Amino acid sequence: YGVIPALVAGLILAGILASTMSTADSQLLAASSSVSQNIFQEALHLKLSQKASMLVARLTVIIIAILGVLIAQDPNSSVFGIVSFAWAGFGASFGPLIICALFWKRTTLPGGIAGMVENNSLPPAPAAFSTIYPYPRHSAFFLCRYRMTLTDFAASNSSKIF
């Protein structure tokens, strides 16, 4: 096929690898600074020097890297599956709340809290809903929306259901 297609493919793959490494670097930096600043200094009220804070951040990076290697070594584990469940929980908890808050006038604080609390327990069990709805990740979103609607109607003492 020639040299040009190989060079183009190499550039595309290099770009994909660079973006992956950049994302991983950003996530490690965010996690390490979160542990050293938010957990140790703010939540636990520990006064750390700048050197100690840097040491905690570096140890956090090492621990996360070791956990990543352990997860990657398991042939039955899938990073995609883990990330998929994380985004399913995030999207199912906050997605309906944001959509309802923007487009439904009757959204209430109790309804939002009920939807978020219920859906924090749903991402581990989307396969259980696959018999009801063929797209298990979407079912958590719709269940949260349903719970918010019921709670909003109960909170507003409304006689109208729809």
Side-chain angles (χ1 to χ4, degrees), residues 17-146:
L17 184 60
S19 66
T20 303
M21 291 175 63
S22 172
T23 302
D25 175 62
S26 298
Q27 293 298 319
L28 283 171
L29 181 62
S32 66
S33 65
S34 177
V35 167
S36 68
Q37 294 295 319
N38 297 342
I39 295 176
F40 276 85
Q41 291 184 8
E42 292 177 14
L44 299 177
H45 303 293
L46 297 174
K47 301 291 182 195
L48 297 177
S49 66
Q50 189 171 357
K51 188 175 182 179
S53 179
M54 185 64 70
L55 179 64
V56 169
R58 288 179 179 170
L59 288 174
T60 302
V61 169
I62 291 170
I63 291 169
I64 292 172
I66 290 171
L67 287 173
V69 168
L70 292 175
I71 290 171
Q73 285 182 342
D74 183 9
N76 296 326
S77 74
S78 169
V79 173
F80 176 75
I82 295 168
V83 171
S84 178
F85 279 119
W87 279 107
F90 183 75
S93 293
F94 292 103
L97 177 60
I98 291 170
I99 290 171
C100 288
L102 291 174
F103 299 109
W104 193 39
K105 290 187 273 185
R106 297 181 68 178
T107 302
T108 62
L109 180 63
I113 292 172
M116 287 174 50
V117 167
E118 180 174 338
N119 259 25
N120 282 330
S121 64
L122 289 177
F129 302 108
S130 62
T131 57
I132 301 168
Y133 186 72
Y135 304 102
R137 304 275 190 266
H138 297 164
S139 61
F141 183 93
F142 292 123
L143 287 171
C144 180
R145 174 66 178 98
Y146 175 71

